[in-house]
Amino acid sequence: MQRRLTASCIAALGLVTAATTPANALVNGEIAPPSAEADSVVRVVVPLNFFRAAQCTGTALNSQWVITAAHCVHDIPFKAGQVTVGQGDSSRTVGINDWKVAPSGDVALIHVNGDLGLNSYPEIDREGVVRGGEVAGTVYGWSSLGQGATGNLPRASVRATSCPVNYDLCTAGDRIVARTDLPTALQQGDSGGPLFVDGRLAGMLSAAISVNPDVSPEATGEYLYTSTDSLDAWIDQTLNGGSVSAPDASVPDVGRLPIDPVPMPVAPEPGQGGGFPSTGFPSFGTPGLSPSL
């Protein structure tokens, strides 16, 4: 059955997943100590409507731009919300006033109307660091279902490889497969979170990989990331120029709304069952994804 996850159905469903969803977010990871890398990982909240808001993870690229997954803002009626920087008592929020969705891949850049105020910002990988074979990396996620709700940012180590272009899911050549050591797992609300390799931002979390309907997609330990090197020209162009919208005072204040983590899309595992049918979600050229509802 083809389905498209819109803002209205997210609000109606309350972003509730199956009972198999783990109780913690970035399950069995470790709390990230302060560092330039961890400090750049932010919590993104956008309004679904005047009654509910949705939460994802992102990475600050400069003082006013955050990169995340496009499915986090897809069909959101208001270009508004807030970005939370920092951990614990030192955290602070900056308002969102615009975003741009990449021409391909599951990527969006969010613009804020103030200074994110970090001492430094990460470089993006422009060389395709995973294309030479398996590499070690670190992933982060701010899902509000677990440790992220305490104000502490979890992280986990992964092994990352390029997703072969001969798989239907990876024909664009912009996908990275990252594997955690189970029981460590990512889940809803971690979408858009970063994959760092050698201190550079290599990708943003797009989907969980699962072929067994009896197993929670977030519990497979395998995830798809969209690579930064596939979009570096668009990222540079967006960060360095172009108009952005002025803040809209009529939109709801997400700080006063109930907040739900955005469901993580699910991708069939590469190489299983032949082709991957397009579900119509997301609508930005990422075939084979379906919402984990």
Side-chain angles (χ1 to χ4, degrees):
M1 176 180 179
Q2 293 189 349
R3 293 185 292 175
R4 179 171 177 173
L5 193 65
T6 63
S8 58
C9 82
I10 294 173
L13 292 169
L15 299 180
V16 176
T17 57
T20 53
T21 298
N24 294 318
L26 211 166
V27 185
N28 296 309
E30 62 178 0
I31 299 302
S35 67
E37 186 175 290
D39 291 348
S40 70
V41 184
V42 301
R43 186 170 182 250
V44 176
V45 177
V46 295
L48 295 170
N49 49 40
F50 284 91
F51 308 102
R52 301 196 75 82
Q55 175 263 321
C56 270
T57 302
T59 307
L61 294 185
N62 66 21
S63 62
Q64 288 194 285
W65 286 99
V66 168
I67 195 165
T68 188
H71 72 259
C72 293
V73 298
H74 183 64
D75 275 356
I76 300 298
F78 312 101
K79 289 189 174 182
Q82 65 184 28
V83 167
T84 301
V85 185
Q87 299 190 48
D89 294 337
S90 64
S91 65
R92 61 195 183 281
T93 60
V94 184
I96 294 171
N97 62 297
D98 203 357
W99 54 68
K100 312 290 184 183
V101 174
S104 63
D106 185 10
V107 176
L109 281 165
I110 292 175
H111 188 269
V112 297
N113 56 20
D115 190 339
L116 292 170
L118 299 180
N119 293 326
S120 63
Y121 298 88
E123 295 184 7
I124 64 171
D125 171 44
R126 301 176 182 275
E127 302 170 359
V129 65
V130 303
R131 298 186 191 280
E134 185 175 278
V135 298
T138 306
V139 297
Y140 299 82
W142 264 122
S143 175
S144 57
L145 293 181
Q147 291 168 312
T150 70
N152 297 312
L153 175 67
R155 72 176 182 182
S157 297
V158 296
R159 291 159 291 124
T161 58
S162 180
C163 189
V165 295
N166 59 310
Y167 293 136
D168 289 350
L169 189 68
C170 306
T171 53
D174 62 351
R175 297 286 183 266
I176 297 170
V177 177
R179 297 174 175 88
T180 63
D181 290 325
L182 293 175
T184 302
L186 295 153
Q187 64 167 18
Q188 62 188 62
D190 293 328
S191 289
L195 163 66
F196 279 97
V197 177
D198 294 333
R200 290 180 293 174
L201 177 63
M204 290 67 63
L205 179 59
S206 178
I209 299 174
S210 179
V211 294
N212 186 344
D214 297 323
V215 177
S216 171
E218 297 87 348
T220 65
E222 296 192 345
Y223 305 91
L224 281 177
Y225 283 73
T226 303
S227 65
T228 53
D229 69 289
S230 65
L231 290 166
D232 60 345
W234 174 79
I235 292 171
D236 290 342
Q237 181 181 13
T238 305
L239 266 56
N240 296 324
S243 60
V244 295
S245 303
D248 186 349
S250 68
V251 301
D253 177 3
V254 295
R256 299 176 178 272
L257 299 178
I259 299 172
D260 299 301
V262 170
M264 188 186 303
V266 181
E269 189 172 26
Q272 299 290 328
F276 302 99
S278 174
T279 64
F281 170 76
S283 63
F284 35 75
T286 310
L289 303 185
S290 60
S292 56
L293 291 175

